[in-house]
Amino acid sequence: MAMNNHVVINEVGPRDGLQIQSRVLTVEQRLQLVNALIDAGIRSLEAGSFVSPKAVPQMAGTDQLLAQLPIPEEVAYAALVPNQRGFEMAMAAGSRRVNVVLSATETMNQKNIRMSLDQTRQVCADIMARCLADGIEGQAYVAVAFECPYEGPTSQSEVLRLARDMFAAGAAKVIIADTIGAANPSQVSRLMSALIDEHGADRLSCHFHDTRGMALANVLAALKLGIREFDSSIGGLGGCPFSPGASGNLATEDLALMLQSMGYQTNLDAIDLVPVIQLAESLTGAELGGHSYRWLRRQHDSRQAQGAPA
Ligand code: COA
Ligand code: ZN
């Protein structure tokens, strides 16, 4: 086993997952889901976003959610912000970790947050600098890093430029996102190698969607290069409302199961995620579950039958 066998699983279901659901959950229901995830062992989680409630009604009340999050001293909770206004709201709500999003193409950026890419770079750089100055963990997502639903294949040099900008501004981490789940492992190796050469693996993370069933293969490609942090979403919940073709995120249970089978430490046992998936299903009314869900459910049921502690 390599030197570092700890992998951080950053759960994004409560944000990336819920934002596309037709059923809008109450703050209490969102909190119920977060509590279940924390009980199962999640220690890094994107709790919500400070965006226009007209654009994304699912994320209204994120300030109230943040105020009630369990064991904040033990969990890295992040809030996503699209602009300065969102950043001020996150600060007022006491956020300690803030995520900004730059899309690597002009059209995606406009569709998502109605700013040009140049404006967005400026706004995100300002927010990252404020984070650095104020002791907040600033993280920058580079969305559609492989392919854009509007502009096609993404230029690698553009992704490298955006990552460079954000680190220069003070970002603690850059997260490379395959927003529509179009990447393959060769592309992941190529882009992540270039990024690692410049910035090192420790300050990079990956966010994959499973649209074409290649999310785990993409994780493996990045893992081999030394990446030790990945986003995933419970039951594969999610997508992006502004990005046609974006379907579910990589499911947390699939990621956790693969990593634990390979001997990596994640603080999770995938079987313990079964009741969390069931809760997410009952809250959203959506049919959820990654590739391993049926198998995990059988393991969970036989554990229950043997009278093991729930
Ligand atoms: N949080 C809450 N409200 C916000 C806001 C924020 N971060 N930023 C702007 N607003 C409000 C404005 O006050 C204004 O409210 P009003 O209509 O009551 O006066 C309204 O939103 C529109 O403001 P404007 O500056 O004209 O923004 P816009 O209409 O161009 O929308 C965004 C820009 C960024 C606010 C909006 O597109 C958005 O929230 N997008 C989020 C997309 C998202 O979550 N994508 C997925 C994650 S990357
Ligand atoms: Zn996503």
Side-chain angles (χ1 to χ4, degrees):
M1 178 60 57
M3 228 169 38
N4 180 4
N5 78 338
H6 284 264
V7 178
V8 173
I9 294 184
N10 178 51
E11 170 66 41
V12 299
R15 201 281 303 171
D16 203 10
L18 291 183
Q19 71 179 8
I20 200 175
Q21 298 305 309
S22 51
R23 196 184 283 179
V24 175
L25 304 195
T26 64
V27 170
E28 287 65 34
Q29 290 172 319
R30 288 160 67 190
L31 185 63
Q32 208 185 336
L33 179 60
V34 171
N35 274 313
L37 288 159
I38 299 304
D39 284 348
I42 290 287
R43 289 296 177 268
S44 178
L45 183 148
E46 192 175 47
S49 56
F50 290 97
V51 299
S52 163
K54 282 179 198 155
V56 188
Q58 293 89 340
M59 291 291 112
T62 292
D63 53 342
Q64 297 160 44
L65 177 69
L66 260 50
Q68 302 175 69
L69 293 173
I71 54 169
E73 60 293 343
E74 287 176 42
V75 184
Y77 288 113
L80 182 145
V81 307
N83 54 19
Q84 204 71 45
R85 164 93 188 270
F87 178 66
E88 300 305 337
M89 292 172 80
M91 290 302 96
S95 288
R96 306 299 305 160
R97 177 185 269 189
V98 163
N99 298 342
V100 294
V101 183
L102 306 106
S103 296
T105 65
E106 186 63 38
T107 316
M108 184 63 215
N109 213 74
Q110 295 273 5
K111 297 265 184 198
N112 192 30
I113 54 174
R114 299 160 62 103
M115 277 191 279
S116 74
L117 181 49
D118 267 342
Q119 271 176 293
T120 307
R121 279 170 60 210
Q122 195 53 58
V123 167
C124 291
D126 288 347
I127 293 173
M128 291 296 100
R130 278 276 305 276
C131 285
L132 186 64
D134 297 350
I136 305 297
E137 222 180 327
Q139 308 192 126
Y141 276 93
V142 179
V144 296
F146 298 92
E147 190 174 315
C148 170
Y150 305 104
E151 296 189 23
T154 304
S155 137
Q156 177 166 308
S157 60
E158 182 66 3
V159 176
L160 295 178
R161 182 177 76 113
L162 295 174
R164 213 174 285 138
D165 276 5
M166 291 304 110
F167 281 128
K173 198 181 298 154
V174 168
I175 305 158
I176 299 301
D178 180 20
T179 311
I180 59 169
N184 65 55
S186 304
Q187 292 170 319
V188 170
S189 295
R190 203 176 315 127
L191 177 59
M192 295 316 295
S193 297
L195 285 161
I196 290 167
D197 284 347
E198 271 190 61
H199 310 290
D202 289 353
R203 296 196 294 166
L204 295 164
S205 169
C206 292
H207 174 113
F208 295 118
H209 281 245
D210 210 15
T211 320
R212 304 184 193 184
M214 276 181 256
L216 272 186
N218 290 335
V219 167
L220 189 60
L223 198 61
K224 278 184 174 170
L225 298 171
I227 299 296
R228 290 294 179 270
E229 179 160 349
F230 298 94
D231 282 2
S232 62
S233 175
I234 190 70
L237 193 65
C240 173
F242 306 96
S243 185
S247 75
N249 280 278
L250 166 59
T252 302
E253 60 274 21
D254 287 345
L255 179 61
L257 182 61
M258 183 180 88
L259 292 171
Q260 83 187 91
S261 311
M262 292 173 78
Y264 289 96
Q265 305 294 318
T266 65
N267 202 47
L268 293 177
D269 179 344
I271 298 170
D272 295 335
L273 294 171
V274 169
V276 191
I277 300 163
Q278 288 164 341
L279 173 66
E281 282 190 308
S282 76
L283 290 173
T284 61
E287 205 177 304
L288 301 173
H291 303 290
S292 60
Y293 184 37
R294 280 177 183 217
W295 184 84
L296 288 172
R297 216 165 39 199
R298 284 202 301 275
Q299 308 310 305
H300 181 262
D301 291 350
S302 68
R303 229 188 231 183
Q304 297 286 85
Q306 284 158 23

